[in-house]
Amino acid sequence: MALDRRALLAGLGALPLIGCSETEPPSYGDILRMGDAFTYSALRALTPRLGLAREYGHKDITPIAAIGTVNPGNPAEPGYQPDQGQLYDRLRTQGFAGWRLEVTGRVARPRSFSLQELMALPRRTQITRHACEEGWSAIAQWSGVPLKAVLQASGVLPSARYVTFECYDALADGVDMVDALHPQTILAYGMNGQALPLQHGAPIRLRVETQLGYKSLKYIRRIVVTDRFNDTGQLGPIQTGWAWWAGI
Ligand SMILES: Nc1nc2c(c(=O)[nH]1)N[C@H]1C(S)=C(S)[C@@H](COP(=O)(O)O)O[C@H]1N2
Ligand SMILES: [Mo]
């Protein structure tokens, strides 16, 4: 019995060597990503594609803290990027008059939008709960243009599968087409009936109501449509151990 067990254990110990002696052992990141991929496919299969996040009434609105970057133009903040930060500071002090949102990649008409141009597109207002991965939540009203309308105005190509967002701070992240075209996924320029405040992402932030708080990027600068997955490297969530897909 004991011998059998020892033989079995020896056999198991040798298993990882079979057929892959030249490969590196899986890194921690690779294992996490395998889990992420499984969660993503399982939940994408289970959740109805156009399921809406719950919307609330005006009386449900709560105070909401500003988390992470609160001014990408401030060199003292951890996410400060000198080039983009200086540009942001200049644009902000000029009331974002010269600000443009660039849309590029797998679109028939790569272009940029001024704030006025975005405001001239269809508008959606929603009162939703922001759920931060750190355990707090808050309810606010957001107004903006559905991302779908911006993608359509740029002639998104049929092969497009992902949309990535670059920010004025050191952050970039993306969503798949299901979330990109979701009716509640908006580029918000208004919050609680006012222009989006500096600390909450002025002049434009993303609202992805189907995912955790960190996917709702503030200070959006550029949108890149791709047909291949891009984890946005050091600027993205995977490197710091967060899931790329954070569905709720
Ligand atoms: N550009 C940028 N977007 C960001 C962050 C950030 O630091 N920089 N923080 C994220 C996190 S973790 C959360 S919870 C929300 C916070 O949004 P709020 O500051 O409006 O509450 O923004 C998300 N978007
Ligand atoms: Mo967060």
Side-chain angles (χ1 to χ4, degrees):
M1 217 25 185
L3 252 182
D4 284 351
R5 226 174 104 244
R6 212 173 300 145
L8 181 66
L9 286 174
L12 280 178
L15 261 184
L17 296 175
I18 296 167
C20 58
S21 54
E22 298 303 322
T23 61
E24 285 176 52
S27 75
Y28 199 59
D30 288 341
I31 287 172
L32 275 177
R33 286 182 197 207
M34 282 160 63
D36 285 354
F38 178 75
T39 312
Y40 171 82
S41 349
L43 285 167
R44 269 277 177 265
L46 290 172
T47 3
R49 299 215 146 196
L50 286 177
L52 293 184
R54 179 168 171 197
E55 295 194 15
Y56 296 81
H58 281 96
K59 62 175 187 350
D60 302 315
I61 291 174
T62 67
I64 174 168
I67 293 296
T69 299
V70 291
N71 178 2
N74 177 3
E77 295 204 16
Y80 184 71
Q81 304 190 97
D83 290 0
Q84 301 305 336
Q86 279 163 24
L87 176 58
Y88 181 86
D89 205 49
R90 218 163 37 239
L91 292 169
R92 185 180 64 81
T93 51
Q94 294 158 7
F96 297 113
W99 177 92
R100 292 285 182 283
L101 173 71
E102 190 189 342
V103 180
T104 186
R106 303 296 294 153
V107 290
R109 300 179 292 281
R111 56 171 291 186
S112 69
F113 295 85
S114 67
L115 217 40
Q116 289 67 31
E117 286 170 330
L118 291 176
M119 287 173 176
L121 289 172
R123 171 191 292 239
R124 184 184 166 100
T125 295
Q126 59 204 29
I127 300 176
T128 51
R129 182 186 294 275
H130 176 93
C132 170
E133 68 293 346
E134 290 175 339
W136 56 272
S137 75
I139 294 173
Q141 182 196 58
W142 308 101
S143 295
V145 50
L147 178 60
K148 181 178 182 175
V150 174
L151 295 176
Q152 281 172 341
S154 315
V156 62
L157 295 174
S159 66
R161 289 188 57 208
Y162 298 97
V163 181
T164 59
F165 306 87
E166 298 169 10
C167 303
Y168 280 99
D169 61 351
L171 224 56
D173 200 355
V175 297
D176 65 11
M177 272 300 159
V178 176
D179 280 333
L181 302 177
H182 189 281
Q184 289 169 318
T185 299
I186 64 173
L187 295 172
Y189 42 71
M191 177 185 176
N192 295 336
Q194 310 281 313
L196 185 69
L198 166 65
Q199 69 271 27
H200 292 292
I204 289 274
R205 80 172 300 160
L206 180 66
R207 291 296 313 163
V208 184
E209 308 296 356
T210 50
Q211 297 199 46
L212 287 175
Y214 63 90
K215 299 295 286 194
S216 285
L217 295 173
K218 309 194 279 187
Y219 319 108
I220 305 279
R221 176 171 71 79
R222 188 163 176 258
I223 292 180
V224 186
V225 180
T226 63
D227 43 19
R228 308 193 77 194
F229 178 69
N230 172 3
D231 73 6
T232 62
Q234 293 295 331
L235 300 173
I238 290 176
Q239 305 286 333
T240 42
W242 296 98
W244 179 81
W245 191 67
I248 44 178

